[in-house]
Amino acid sequence: VVTSPKPIKEEVEFATEPCKVALVGFGTVGRSVARILTSRSSQDLRLTHVVNRNVDRKRVDWVPRDVAWTQSFDDVLNSDIDVVLELVGGLDPAEHWVRRSLESGKSVVTANKQLIARHGPALQKLARENGVHLLFGASVAGGIPVLLGLQEGLGGDRIHRISGILNGTCNYILSQIENAHISFGEALEQAQAKGFAEANASEDIDGYDARAKLTILARTALNADLEPEQVATRGIREVEQIDFAYAHDLGCTIRQISRAEVKDKTLFAGVQPALVPQSSALARVTGSQNVVVSAGEFGGETVFSGHGAGGDPTAVAVVSDLLWLSRNRHNRVTAESKSAADLTISGDFKSAHYVRFKVADKPGILAALANVFSRHEINVDAVLQQAGHSKSALPFVITIEPCRVEKLRKALAEIRSLDFHVAPPVDMPILT
Ligand SMILES: NC(=O)c1ccc[n+]([C@@H]2O[C@H](COP(=O)([O-])OP(=O)(O)OC[C@H]3O[C@@H](n4cnc5c(N)ncnc54)[C@H](OP(=O)(O)O)[C@@H]3O)[C@@H](O)[C@H]2O)c1
């Protein structure tokens, strides 16, 4: 049988046909994406639909007239678009819409960390089954191309550790406590007034936003089969000005750190406030900036940093995914998923620790604490006490030599029942 080669003209037309994009969710990121798409001179991406509830109040005059504004997602599914760009956020209806898009043969680009952290592997499987693509480069660290960097740029290495600052709201609040010498409550109010934090800021300050991002990072970089609930997660509510004063004495500052590390078939994963050396890349990150540091077996440490949020930086990551798709959308052979490594998940990191006490002063307190630590075979490294505090609520710090978190927690559970506390002890790892 003689088959005639495809006409060259048809191939050229095929390759230059614009990639048709339906933008679902015309909010902060959606508007910025529309701005970028409509201001590009290149014809490779064409915005065809904008979907939003009560869409009439969203209309803007700078979007080309031939773009269809609709509140019906079915209009998108029934059209000949190539890509659904999901920017509504949350799980419902985002998950349903993404599933329907993939099932009907449309690729999906999303910035939705909750969706990908919770359903990413299942949705990727669905994409593969339907010969389409699911890209989510903007779901972690906004405009920093960290997922692509880890997956492609560092694909030749074996990464064993990632750590980072993945939530700009926490970083802003901690920076304000440190630099403006205000309380956690005041810093939170400021963040809310400036639009850096939601009215209900729990997602950020209790660590759930960062743990969703860490889940996605660990799957990408460490090939880990991780669910968000398996990440040991603590918020930043307990951090006070006095903790920064003591952290500075130790040459450190305090940041909300997300970290995951593979050691001997165990994946340690956690999000929590931690002391980091002032000279480290993690300490230098301010405001809504994000940073991710990866450690590879061959290439050593690599630092990714930049704008972790905001409409425009996030939109850049989204448009970059769209451009990748416009080049690769006809390649129906999607990469097979690597089967996840067989790892036990744990939050029981080994590190040095900072423990801050606030006590009604009386003789024998240090002896009582030393007694409990020694019974739990925990070595005290140093005791720090700054002058000038009231004896009725005296803060001091004990640093602990490297030990497992669980061991320290057991000792602290016992210590909490002692009668001299004015506030419960606050413990944080000291990361070197
Ligand atoms: N903003 C950032 O800095 C940032 C950074 C990284 C990733 N992301 C992710 O990007 C996504 C979008 O975030 P965003 O900040 O742009 O959110 P946003 O400003 O709240 O925008 C969401 C848009 O979707 C619309 N929408 C919500 N539910 C809908 C529904 N059921 N039906 C139709 N339309 C609906 C909203 O309409 P209404 O106006 O009626 O509410 C709004 O226009 C989220 O997944 C977020 O996590 C955001």
Side-chain angles (χ1 to χ4, degrees):
V1 180
V2 179
T3 53
S4 54
K6 264 188 181 175
I8 288 171
K9 181 171 174 292
E10 189 186 311
E11 277 183 8
V12 170
E13 279 176 1
F14 186 63
T16 54
E17 206 178 289
C19 178
K20 295 193 260 327
V21 179
L23 195 171
V24 185
F26 200 71
T28 308
V29 181
R31 274 180 78 94
S32 290
V33 170
R35 278 266 182 217
I36 298 178
L37 291 182
T38 55
S39 64
R40 294 176 81 245
S41 54
S42 178
Q43 300 298 310
D44 46 0
L45 299 172
R46 185 193 298 156
L47 181 63
T48 60
H49 296 72
V50 174
V51 183
N52 209 98
R53 58 189 171 203
N54 306 323
V55 77
D56 284 339
R57 78 206 145 96
K58 295 278 179 176
R59 283 175 196 274
V60 289
D61 58 9
W62 45 264
V63 163
R65 282 163 181 265
D66 59 353
V67 171
W69 293 77
T70 176
Q71 42 197 33
S72 163
F73 186 70
D74 284 342
D75 288 353
V76 165
L77 281 186
N78 297 332
S79 72
D80 66 346
I81 57 127
D82 301 292
V83 189
V84 171
L85 177 50
E86 184 280 303
L87 294 173
V88 294
L91 293 179
D92 183 27
E95 183 200 351
H96 182 58
W97 287 351
V98 168
R99 279 186 183 281
R100 289 182 67 202
S101 305
L102 298 172
E103 282 161 357
S104 60
K106 299 183 191 315
S107 288
V108 171
V109 169
T110 177
N112 191 330
K113 66 217 137 214
Q114 284 101 343
L115 179 69
I116 297 301
R118 194 149 304 281
H119 300 296
L123 293 173
Q124 273 180 314
K125 183 164 174 278
L126 189 60
R128 274 194 304 280
E129 286 166 0
N130 288 281
V132 289
H133 300 276
L134 169 69
L135 300 184
F136 44 88
S139 64
V140 176
I144 310 169
V146 61
L147 291 181
L148 197 65
L150 291 167
Q151 212 160 22
E152 303 291 332
L154 294 177
D157 205 346
R158 258 200 299 272
I159 297 173
H160 54 86
R161 187 180 68 234
I162 40 173
S163 53
I165 293 178
L166 301 175
N167 183 277
T169 306
C170 285
N171 213 46
Y172 173 84
I173 290 173
L174 292 173
S175 306
Q176 286 300 97
I177 301 173
E178 179 173 29
N179 301 324
H181 307 289
I182 55 178
S183 68
F184 169 81
E186 289 166 320
L188 174 58
E189 271 175 31
Q190 268 190 17
Q192 284 165 329
K194 293 189 173 194
F196 296 151
E198 306 276 327
N200 177 0
S202 170
E203 188 73 12
D204 292 319
I205 61 183
D206 293 323
Y208 305 124
D209 172 83
R211 94 176 173 181
K213 294 169 180 168
L214 184 71
T215 301
I216 300 169
L217 271 178
R219 284 182 194 147
T220 306
L222 306 174
N223 193 27
D225 182 9
L226 182 68
E227 293 300 322
E229 289 74 17
Q230 292 175 298
V231 177
T233 305
R234 274 174 61 194
I236 60 165
R237 294 176 195 261
E238 295 169 314
V239 179
E240 296 184 12
Q241 283 175 61
I242 187 70
D243 295 312
F244 282 98
Y246 281 119
H248 293 168
D249 285 352
L250 294 164
C252 292
T253 185
I254 300 169
R255 296 285 184 261
Q256 186 209 44
I257 302 296
S258 304
R259 55 190 173 134
E261 178 165 19
V262 177
K263 259 189 188 165
D264 305 330
K265 295 260 169 203
T266 299
L267 173 79
F268 296 94
V271 171
Q272 63 200 139
L275 274 71
V276 293
Q278 278 172 334
S279 56
S280 66
L282 296 168
R284 287 196 295 272
V285 175
T286 55
S288 70
Q289 297 268 312
N290 279 191
V291 65
V292 174
V293 184
S294 70
E297 192 177 324
F298 302 98
E301 283 204 344
T302 304
V303 179
F304 302 83
S305 70
H307 294 288
D312 287 352
T314 308
V316 170
V318 168
V319 174
S320 300
D321 275 354
L322 289 174
L323 286 169
W324 186 93
L325 262 181
S326 84
R327 290 192 299 270
N328 294 283
R329 78 198 127 119
H330 297 305
N331 171 10
R332 312 285 282 184
V333 188
T334 55
E336 270 303 303
S337 73
K338 283 192 286 181
S339 55
D342 187 13
L343 298 168
T344 305
I345 315 287
S346 169
D348 197 12
F349 285 94
K350 185 175 186 183
S351 68
H353 297 270
Y354 163 104
V355 189
R356 188 252 295 155
F357 298 89
K358 206 177 267 181
V359 300
D361 198 19
K362 66 176 185 177
I365 290 179
L366 279 181
L369 294 174
N371 180 311
V372 179
F373 283 134
S374 100
R375 272 193 289 104
H376 286 266
E377 298 178 334
I378 289 172
N379 285 338
V380 168
D381 175 45
V383 179
L384 288 78
Q385 187 176 328
Q386 293 188 339
H389 292 279
S390 157
K391 296 270 183 202
S392 60
L394 185 69
F396 68 93
V397 164
I398 292 182
T399 57
I400 304 288
E401 287 187 2
C403 76
R404 296 262 168 221
V405 179
E406 281 309 318
K407 201 174 193 185
L408 178 66
R409 293 274 155 79
K410 282 184 188 147
L412 288 178
E414 206 175 306
I415 283 172
R416 265 190 205 97
S417 65
L418 300 174
D419 66 357
F420 44 72
H421 300 288
V422 172
V426 173
D427 65 287
M428 290 181 262
I430 304 174
L431 307 182
T432 47

